[in-house]
Amino acid sequence: MDGNKPYFISEPGYRRCWYGLQRAVEIAKALNKAVIFTNGEPSVVVGQHFGLPVTTITSGEKGTYPPELISQLKDIYSGEIVIALDCDYKGSASALQLKAQLAAAGFKVRAVNLGLGDKGDIADFCKLHGSAATETVYALPDLEVVKEAQAAASPTPT
């Protein structure tokens, strides 16, 4: 709150936990849509305000979730998952790692490209799309497809 970095500092010994999971599952079931994993608590607040079934794990964007949190997820949700992390290298890399972990845990999962500028996130996506954010997010291209298309469009060195 002082405006300095890092923005969030956890107390020593803090253990990561779910943020907004129960509400995300309720919204997803009501919409008959996938739960969306996003990058942080502020994105969960904004996303849920706009009607998106978003959740996150506290303490930043990581490529894997602790096994006990995957177990907690399995206890209350078995549906599809969409991963929509930040639009930067860390977010893309983390999304692809998380996709692999969740698929190995038995979930049907996809990682998507929000199509925003560097560091754009779900909160920015909601600001851009407003009430259409809920439908628009599920139509986004897969993150891998976007990366392959970008590589194919790049000039080949000679």
Side-chain angles (χ1 to χ4, degrees):
M1 292 184 59
D2 61 7
N4 295 323
K5 291 183 180 180
Y7 299 116
F8 302 100
I9 300 173
S10 299
E11 295 292 324
Y14 177 80
R15 294 180 60 177
R16 299 167 71 199
C17 62
W18 286 104
Y19 186 84
L21 178 61
Q22 185 63 45
R23 176 121 169 84
V25 169
E26 291 168 5
I27 294 169
K29 287 180 179 177
L31 296 173
N32 196 30
K33 297 284 188 183
V35 166
I36 302 167
F37 288 8
T38 190
N39 64 306
E41 297 92 324
S43 285
V44 171
V45 172
V46 172
Q48 288 187 1
H49 170 78
F50 279 87
L52 292 172
V54 293
T55 188
T56 195
I57 295 213
T58 59
S59 293
E61 205 167 57
K62 308 277 193 290
T64 60
Y65 288 173
E68 65 271 13
L69 296 182
I70 298 295
S71 179
Q72 288 174 11
L73 174 64
K74 284 181 162 186
D75 287 345
I76 68 165
Y77 186 72
S78 61
E80 294 182 30
I81 296 171
V82 170
I83 302 168
L85 302 184
D86 283 359
C87 294
D88 57 15
Y89 177 79
K90 182 180 178 187
S92 295
S94 294
L96 295 175
Q97 289 176 316
L98 184 55
K99 177 185 175 187
Q101 181 190 25
L102 293 169
F107 288 97
K108 181 176 180 185
V109 58
R110 57 189 287 256
V112 298
N113 182 336
L114 292 172
L116 303 171
D118 189 40
K119 301 193 188 323
D121 63 13
I122 281 285
D124 299 313
F125 186 85
C126 289
K127 181 179 179 183
L128 179 64
H129 294 282
S131 61
T134 303
E135 289 307 315
T136 306
V137 74
Y138 294 106
L140 292 170
D142 287 350
L143 193 55
E144 298 90 344
V145 171
V146 170
K147 285 186 173 191
E148 290 170 8
Q150 288 172 343
S154 297
T156 306
T158 54

